[in-house]
Amino acid sequence: MKLLVMSAAIAAASIAAPATAQVMAPAEYVMTAGASDLYEIASSQVLLETTQDPKLRAFAQMMTQDHTKSTADVKAAAARSRVKVTPPKLTPLQQELVTELRAEQGPARDAAYIAQQKASHGQALNVQKAYAAEGTAPALKTAAAAIVPVVEHHVMELKAM
């Protein structure tokens, strides 16, 4: 568990860095948002395999639905912006986090999932807000702006856990 908390902290620090730097190019935003959504879906599916906590189960199901929708919204906006979309893939760090989550069981997996979600949603919120404010492709800016309140809702839900 100690390793997991450390990984979540490293993830938050290393993933959040792009949002504070120069604004992402449209293709980079699409790739980053897609990887973020894919991670949220994959980690939620791992949790759903074992959790007995009804509140956590409902949250993970919401993650799967909301992040599937945001992926579709970003893909549609990318098409309108003539930005090439490749299938999303997990970053090496995201893959490591999913692997760590799979290694945990029971309440330890639940706790690890919550810690990872808090870190990843902080990063996702930074990316979406930054692109909504300063992105260069209007359709993608609009999509990012629409995603911000959804991610903010997720952050609020996580604070209650």
Side-chain angles (χ1 to χ4, degrees), residues 6 10 15 54 56-57 63-64 75 112:
M6 185 175 74
I10 291 169
I15 296 175
L56 206 49
R57 180 171 287 284
M63 291 300 92
T64 300
K75 275 177 84 172

Side-chain angles (χ1 to χ4, degrees), residues 50-97:
T50 60
T51 190
Q52 299 300 311
D53 182 332
K55 187 174 180 181
L56 206 49
R57 180 171 287 284
F59 180 81
Q61 289 168 336
M62 178 177 65
M63 291 300 92
T64 300
Q65 292 170 345
D66 289 356
H67 289 284
T68 298
K69 182 183 182 315
S70 63
T71 295
D73 293 348
V74 169
K75 275 177 84 172
R80 288 192 302 278
S81 299
R82 295 191 173 106
V83 173
K84 183 181 177 187
V85 177
T86 57
K89 62 181 182 179
L90 296 175
T91 67
L93 178 59
Q94 290 166 331
Q95 184 59 57
E96 181 181 330
L97 291 171

Side-chain angles (χ1 to χ4, degrees), residues 6 13 15 28 54 67 75 106 109 113 157 159:
M6 185 175 74
I15 296 175
E28 183 182 3
H67 289 284
K75 275 177 84 172
R109 181 181 280 181
Y113 175 79
E157 291 280 325
K159 284 182 181 177

Side-chain angles (χ1 to χ4, degrees), residues 11-22:
S14 64
I15 296 175
T20 59
Q22 191 173 359

